[in-house]
Amino acid sequence: LAKADARNDDSSARGRNFTLGLGMKPQYDVGLFGFVTNTRLDAQLRTPSLTNDPMVQTESRADLGANIKLAAENQLWFKAGTGKQVNDVSGFIVSPSTSDALNQAFGTNSFSPNGTLDAFHSSVTQSDAQLRHSFTSGPVQWSWGLEYSRQELTGGLAMGFAPAGINVTQLQTVRASDAYLSARFNGAGRYEVQGDLYWQEFRIHREDMSTLNVATVPPQLFTLENTIGDQNTSELNPRLGVKWQLAPLQSLRAVVQRWRRPASSGTLSSVDTVGIPVNDRLPTPGGLYERARLQLDGELGASTFGQLFADTEKVDNGIAGRRSAISGFEVTQLESLRNRPDVFTPHADLEDTPVFQEGRVDTLGLAVNYLVSRSQTVSMRYLYRHSWQTGANDGLLIPFVPRQYLQLGSQWALTGRWLVGATGTYRSERFRDDTNLDRINPGWAFGLTVYWETADKRSSVQGIADNLLSSRSAGNLPDPHLSLRYTYRF
C-alpha cells in the first residue's frame, strides 16, 4: 500500500500493489517459476494546469518460465508473459498556451484558457514468448534462441476550450520476431571473443489523428493531422567484441553492436558483448541501435578500480519515435510511488526515457571507485557527451542527454548492520522534448540512503531521500523525494 500527498498543492494519491512469485524444482534438473503482479493507483490531481482531475492507473503482468538442465553446461530456458497498463484522467484543464494559439490562429480573443479535460486514455498491451538453448563445446560457449513479441499502444485525448474542442487519437502496434546465434570463445584467459548474429523481422503500424472542432455558425471541423504509416524490416544484425587481458585484473575491450529493440519487456538473449551491455534507453521498440565502443578498465592497485571509455551511438527510431500529444500528456511524478530501489541502486545518467526519431551520441567517460577503508568507499563518474538529432529535427539536442554529467558518492558499512550512502549529481542543461522548447536548467542534486536489518535478516528498514538541496528548475522532477520501506522476510 502507498499514500502520497503533494507538498505544493492539494494533489493526493493512494496505491496498492499485489505481487506473487512462485518457484519450484520438481526434480534436480528442472526448475519452474511463475510471477504475477497487479497495481492500482487512484489519484486526485489539483495542479495549476489540472485543477481537479481524478486519475486511475492500473497495471498487471503475468509470466511463466522453465529451466531444464540437460547437462552441467547444457541448459534450456523458456519464458512467456503478458501485461497491460491503463491510464485514465478527466476533469478540468488550464492551458493559456493553447488558448493563445487558437486566438492567434483565428484572429480573436474569444477562446478561454479554462477548459475541460473530457477524457485522457492511454493503454499499453505487451506479450512475448522466448526460448534459449546454451551449451559449451571445448573453449566455445554457444547460444541460440527464438523470440516473439508484440506491443500495442492506444491513446485518446479530448479537450474543450470554448468555443472549440480538440480531439487526438493514436494507435501503434509493433510485432517483432527474432532468431539469434551467439558464440563466445575464451582464449585461456588471455583474450575473449564474442560474436552474435541476429535475424530480426519487424512490423510497425501507426495511426495519428487530431481534429479541431469550432462551434461557430456554421460549425467548422479542421483536421490538424491525419497520418497512417507502416514500417516493415527484415535484416541481419551482428555484434562483435574482443577483450584483451593486458595484466591481471586489467582489460581492454573493443565492441561494435547493431541491434533492433524488440517489443518485449525483457529477453533471454545475451544483453552484453564481452561485458558491455546494449543501451536500451535510447531506442524505442522497433528502433535501430548502432554502437562502437573502446573501453579500458581494471584494478589500479589493491584499493582502486578505474574505467575509461570512448563511445559512439547512433539511433533510428523511425515512425515509432515520433512524438504526439498522447505521449506528451503524462503525469510522471506518480511513478515514484511504485519505485522500490534496492540498497545503493546506481543512479541512471538519464532522468527519463527520451522520445525522438533519430540521432547520435558521442561519449567520453571516466569512472573511479576507491576503497578508503574496510568500511568506506568513494566513487566518481563523469560523462562528457555530444548529442544531436538528425532527420526532421537536425541539429537539436536529444532529450534528457546533458553535455556534462558528474556523480560523486560515498558508502559506509557501519557497526550494528547499518549501511549509509550519500551522492551528489550534477547535470548541465538539457531538454525534455525533441523540439528543445522545454528546458531543464543545469544544477546539482543530492541524495541519502540509510539501511538497517536485524541479525536474522528477517526484518529490514530502508530510507531514501533524493533530489535534496537542488534548484527547483534543475531537475526533471524538481521536488525532493522521500521514501521509507519496511520489509519482512518469511
Side-chain angles (χ1 to χ4, degrees), residues 10 16 64 68 139 162-163 165 200 206 214 218 236 300 345 394 419:
D10 294 330
R16 63 165 177 78
L64 296 172
I68 302 175
Q200 298 185 283
R206 177 162 176 167
V214 182
L236 287 173
L300 309 174
T345 300
D394 188 31
L419 299 176

Side-chain angles (χ1 to χ4, degrees), residues 266-346:
T267 181
L268 290 178
S269 67
S270 177
V271 298
D272 72 285
T273 309
V274 292
I276 297 179
V278 294
N279 184 1
D280 63 354
R281 292 296 300 273
L282 294 177
T284 57
L288 181 64
Y289 175 80
E290 298 175 279
R291 162 195 266 173
R293 178 165 175 146
L294 186 66
Q295 177 175 304
L296 177 66
D297 55 54
E299 292 190 5
L300 309 174
S303 58
T304 305
F305 178 86
Q307 182 185 92
L308 177 67
F309 69 86
D311 200 343
T312 180
E313 300 168 289
K314 184 179 178 182
V315 177
D316 185 356
N317 287 319
I319 62 174
R322 190 170 63 232
R323 178 175 287 274
S324 71
I326 302 298
S327 61
F329 192 94
E330 297 175 348
V331 190
T332 55
Q333 294 86 342
L334 298 178
E335 287 296 311
S336 61
L337 289 176
R338 300 188 302 151
N339 289 345
R340 298 184 59 186
D342 293 327
V343 183
F344 302 149
T345 300

Side-chain angles (χ1 to χ4, degrees), residues 343-355:
V343 183
F344 302 149
T345 300
H347 287 68
D349 55 285
L350 298 184
E351 300 155 283
D352 206 341
T353 302
V355 178

Side-chain angles (χ1 to χ4, degrees), residues 102 106 111 159-166 212-215:
L102 292 171
F106 288 92
F111 294 98
M159 300 180 294
F161 295 91
I166 301 173
L212 173 65
N213 187 6
V214 182

Side-chain angles (χ1 to χ4, degrees), residues 49 93-104 112-114 161 166:
S49 58
I93 186 170
V94 178
S95 180
S97 61
T98 302
S99 61
D100 290 345
L102 292 171
N103 285 322
Q104 184 177 2
S112 170
N114 299 314
F161 295 91
I166 301 173

